[in-house]
Amino acid sequence: MNVNGKAVLLTGGSAGIGREIARQLKAKGAKVLLTGRDPARLTAMADEGFETLAADLSSAAGVDALVAALGDRPVDILINNAGLGVPHDVRNGLPDPDAADGCFYANLSAPVRLITALLPRLRARPEAAIINVTSGLAIAPNTASSVYCASKAGLRSYTMALRAQLAGEPIQVIEALPPVVDTQMTADRDMSKMPPQECARQIIAALEQGRDEANVGMVKLLRAVYSLSPALARRVMRSF
């Protein structure tokens, strides 16, 4: 797909991977509307020339409010990038079930609800795309972030099914699987991390090349390892 001139709705676009996706798409001529929750970050992106919308996608009401705010504007490319990570490890006491519910909604239910709401306008475009950002942890979960891993695995499964359902229609359905990326979510992890600029570049390349998946960075190796030994792949991911 040539992204020049395409209308993009990008959730979670004011920081991290989303911010770099927005910048790179804009540089290629796309018209990017991005969402976020932090007013200061949204203002900073508006100062860069982006159209922004404040949106909290941790509930059905938040998703519906975003759809209402869009009005009847066209959408060529929907990128479900917004996500939430929460600790959930029963070895450290009983985790917060409400936090788990919020993580599941933000990472899985919100993308499903947003896709369902916007599918008619995506179908109305000559060509369109849906990108769901999951994680290498959707393939090989770690121990401490069990709920986050499960939510991303659910989005991975949904994305694969949606791709099959839309086969034959001019809508690309792409799954982006990043490794550990240097963002606010991973700020407390002392390990090697991919720059968000490179992660964004690889995701956009998958869109431009018409690929079903963007196996970013070490995730390419992880897929190969997992096919040979799931146990070994899980050991690799313990540092995530």
Side-chain angles (χ1 to χ4, degrees):
M1 174 185 288
N2 182 352
V3 302
N4 183 41
K6 294 291 193 295
V8 180
L9 174 61
L10 167 63
T11 68
S14 63
I17 298 170
R19 179 170 58 195
E20 298 308 323
I21 291 174
R23 288 169 171 167
Q24 292 182 32
L25 284 174
K26 182 173 180 286
K28 290 175 177 286
K31 303 171 185 176
V32 181
L33 168 61
L34 60 88
T35 77
R37 294 186 296 177
D38 186 285
R41 289 176 178 169
L42 287 174
T43 297
M45 294 304 286
D47 289 343
E48 291 188 28
F50 289 97
E51 186 176 1
T52 66
L53 278 176
D56 183 347
L57 305 182
S58 62
S59 69
V63 177
D64 293 346
L66 170 58
V67 174
L70 291 173
D72 60 356
R73 70 170 61 220
V75 177
D76 297 301
I77 303 169
L78 169 62
I79 306 177
N80 286 303
N81 170 73
L84 178 65
V86 298
H88 194 92
D89 190 338
V90 298
R91 300 170 300 182
N92 301 322
L94 294 180
D96 181 356
D98 291 333
D101 286 346
C103 182
F104 276 121
Y105 199 92
N107 294 353
L108 177 57
S109 298
V112 172
R113 191 176 186 90
L114 190 55
I115 289 169
T116 303
L118 297 183
L119 192 56
R121 69 183 78 190
L122 288 164
R123 280 177 159 151
R125 309 304 292 168
E127 61 174 354
I130 298 167
I131 302 177
N132 290 332
V133 179
T134 64
S135 170
L137 293 169
I139 300 170
N142 71 2
T143 304
S145 306
S146 56
V147 166
Y148 177 82
C149 297
S151 68
K152 291 298 188 178
L155 185 58
R156 171 171 168 75
S157 181
Y158 171 78
T159 304
M160 294 168 70
L162 181 66
R163 185 181 302 119
Q165 291 169 359
L166 295 178
E169 298 192 41
I171 302 176
Q172 291 179 240
V173 179
I174 302 165
E175 180 186 5
L177 298 100
V180 179
V181 179
D182 190 7
T183 66
Q184 183 183 22
M185 186 181 293
T186 65
D188 61 345
R189 300 182 188 181
D190 185 15
M191 59 189 300
S192 177
K193 305 170 190 177
M194 172 177 279
Q197 296 89 342
E198 175 59 18
C199 181
R201 186 194 68 77
Q202 292 191 33
I203 291 171
I204 294 171
L207 170 64
E208 292 176 320
Q209 295 165 14
R211 290 188 274 121
D212 290 343
E213 295 182 349
N215 292 296
V216 181
M218 72 165 289
V219 174
K220 299 175 184 178
L221 174 61
L222 178 67
R223 296 291 297 270
V225 172
Y226 193 83
S227 66
L228 297 173
S229 172
L232 177 58
R234 283 190 290 271
R235 287 199 295 272
V236 171
M237 295 299 287
R238 282 175 186 166
S239 61
F240 272 47

